[in-house]
Amino acid sequence: MDAIGERIAALNERVRNLQADGLYFMQIPSSALDGPWVTVDDRRMLMLASYSYLGLLGHPDIARAAHAALDRFGAGTHGVRLLAGTLTLHRELEETIARFKRAEDAVAYSSGYVTNLSVISTLVGRGDAVISDKLNHASILDGCLLSRANLIRFRHNDMADLERALIRAGSAAKLVIVDAVFSMDGDVINLPEVNRLCKYYRAWLMVDEAHSLGVLGRTGHGIEEHFDLPPDAIDIKMGTLSKTIPSVGGYIAGNRDLITYLKHVSRAYIFSAALPPASAAAAKAAFEVIEREPWRVEKLRQVSGLFLSGLRALGFDTLRSETAIVPVITGDDDRAFQMTRACHRQDVFALPVVSPGVPVGLARLRATVTAAHDPQHVERALEVFAKAGREVGVI
Ligand code: PMP
């Protein structure tokens, strides 16, 4: 067998072994999602693995907007944005995003992953430097690698190490990229300091708000609002339309020249089909709901705070999380699987994250509560986590 065959065989063996032991928890199909609940195998379970942070999935205004777009434009687009694929809906969505993120303009892509891949590799290339936090999302790393710029990674949220990276980059054009909220650990980037360093060393700053849009800031406008920074603190404001916003897609908001440049040069805009009408309309409606229903942001803060403090009081290690993403560290992979199984048996749907997704020894359940949960749901989740954690020896 050659190296490719060996890799495929090794992965298949790992999957088969886990399945045989009843410890395989990936790609579990759910047949219904409603508020804090998920239905799996005809069992209604408490959902603790959703990114719908503000509980907007199924919101009637959003569903209505999607239906109307479907009726008016059909199910798909017939081309790429640069040519005939642009609909009035796309422009309306982009204007809405720009307003929400206090930017001059915005561009929407068909996924968050593609946004990072395409935008990073459009903005930097050979001879430039791209500087990335070590815990940044895979799509950022992939965009950096695709760009062929000199990739310098700095220690997670370590500002002294970021400064060393900026100095090392010398006189090259520099792009610094960070997640606002880190997707595995739930901690927040030190944006004021990143911003100061970028200004000082004349680097462009790009921030991925996949997990902070709708979550950070008093009214959910994101990380600038959280730190009370001016709207132009970030040059390239990236986000997804697939988490808080219950649709699909990704976006960049920024100044008009940047957006015009991306709309003529980034390959995902030029060579890949436009967002489907229903998805674009749903995304636009979702931004409007966040503006109209700010109580959701406050409720998310309340229930995720309860969850986090409850877990810490029980003795769980939740790293430095301060958001809705809560890592519940189990240590080794096997304990993460065992604890997941114990939770599922009690109708709590949480999922494990193991290596290589996270470093060896830091396997975890990554649990989230959302604005769709009430305090009594959080209490139930804590009871089940306590029991499961004791059963597998995590606490
Ligand atoms: N950035 C971050 C930080 C993410 O967590 C994700 C999704 N897991 C993405 C980008 C990609 O977004 P999408 O799922 O919309 O492609």
Side-chain angles (χ1 to χ4, degrees):
M1 203 188 288
D2 68 1
I4 299 174
E6 277 167 19
R7 267 174 240 141
I8 294 172
L11 183 279
N12 273 273
E13 195 188 337
R14 190 175 181 204
V15 170
R16 264 196 310 275
N17 288 341
L18 287 169
Q19 282 169 335
D21 294 340
L23 295 174
Y24 181 78
F25 299 106
M26 287 169 174
Q27 311 176 68
I28 301 172
S30 40
S31 56
L33 291 160
D34 59 307
W37 307 106
V38 57
T39 306
V40 175
D41 284 337
D42 292 330
R43 262 168 68 206
R44 201 157 182 254
M45 302 168 84
L46 189 61
M47 177 56 136
L48 288 187
S50 168
Y51 297 131
S52 183
Y53 295 118
L54 294 183
L56 294 180
L57 202 61
H59 191 291
D61 296 353
I62 300 171
R64 211 173 298 116
H67 278 294
L70 187 63
D71 289 343
R72 184 161 164 215
F73 293 103
T77 46
H78 52 96
V80 301
R81 285 291 306 277
L82 188 68
L83 300 176
T86 295
L87 303 172
T88 48
L89 269 180
H90 293 120
R91 279 308 298 147
E92 288 165 16
L93 169 62
E94 289 165 346
E95 283 159 13
T96 304
I97 293 170
R99 258 197 313 278
F100 192 90
K101 284 308 304 172
R102 315 261 191 274
E104 284 177 8
D105 203 355
V107 49
Y109 294 90
S110 54
S111 88
Y113 181 86
V114 155
T115 306
N116 278 334
L117 215 60
S118 194
V119 170
I120 298 167
S121 60
T122 299
L123 293 175
V124 287
R126 276 188 219 282
D128 302 331
V130 63
I131 300 173
S132 171
D133 185 291
K134 274 200 176 148
L135 291 193
N136 276 348
H137 189 256
S139 54
I140 296 176
L141 180 61
D142 292 356
C144 295
L145 295 173
L146 183 66
S147 77
R148 298 185 192 165
N150 176 20
L151 170 60
I152 309 176
R153 298 173 81 196
F154 64 95
R155 277 202 298 273
H156 174 53
N157 221 348
D158 180 334
M159 295 301 115
D161 208 33
L162 169 58
E163 182 157 24
R164 278 190 288 275
L166 284 158
I167 293 168
R168 236 175 84 197
S171 60
K174 293 179 268 298
L175 172 64
V176 170
I177 314 176
V178 292
D179 277 345
V181 168
F182 288 84
S183 59
M184 292 295 156
D185 291 9
D187 55 338
V188 179
I189 191 74
N190 180 355
L191 189 65
E193 190 57 14
V194 173
N195 172 262
R196 190 188 69 76
L197 288 170
C198 285
K199 284 219 156 64
Y200 187 78
Y201 289 96
R202 293 167 182 270
W204 288 69
L205 172 58
M206 173 166 173
V207 179
D208 178 333
E209 289 220 86
H211 301 280
S212 58
L213 186 79
V215 174
L216 289 185
R218 196 179 54 79
T219 59
H221 283 253
I223 190 152
E224 304 95 327
E225 188 184 21
H226 175 76
F227 283 114
D228 202 15
L229 287 168
D232 63 355
I234 300 168
D235 303 301
I236 304 152
K237 303 171 189 240
M238 183 272 169
T240 70
L241 304 173
S242 60
K243 294 179 168 63
T244 292
I245 305 294
S247 180
V248 70
Y251 69 81
I252 299 288
N255 76 35
R256 199 158 284 120
D257 288 354
L258 168 74
I259 303 303
T260 302
Y261 181 72
L262 292 176
K263 285 187 169 183
H264 292 85
V265 185
S266 63
R267 294 166 80 81
Y269 194 84
I270 303 171
F271 296 116
S272 185
L275 269 180
S279 305
K284 173 177 177 277
F287 281 99
E288 291 161 356
V289 171
I290 299 174
E291 301 280 25
R292 272 203 309 276
E293 301 181 3
W295 60 265
R296 289 178 180 275
V297 182
E298 183 46 41
K299 185 166 178 215
L300 173 65
R301 215 179 322 280
Q302 183 208 351
V303 288
S304 56
L306 273 179
F307 187 48
L308 196 53
S309 57
L311 287 168
R312 284 183 178 149
L314 286 166
F316 284 107
D317 177 4
T318 54
L319 301 180
R320 293 146 305 204
S321 171
E322 45 182 311
T323 63
I325 298 173
V326 182
V328 181
I329 301 297
T330 59
D332 59 48
D333 292 3
D334 194 51
R335 261 196 218 157
F337 295 136
Q338 302 281 358
M339 186 161 160
T340 304
R341 183 163 63 185
C343 288
H344 287 201
R345 281 188 181 137
Q346 295 173 81
D347 291 336
V348 165
F349 191 79
L351 290 175
V353 186
V354 298
S355 63
V358 289
V360 173
L362 283 179
R364 65 197 65 183
L365 271 65
R366 186 176 48 163
T368 47
V369 290
T370 71
H373 292 87
D374 290 326
Q376 73 265 25
H377 299 128
V378 176
E379 265 165 46
R380 173 70 189 143
L382 289 170
E383 271 167 35
V384 170
F385 268 64
K387 191 156 171 251
R390 286 187 194 112
E391 204 175 301
V392 302
V394 173
I395 50 170

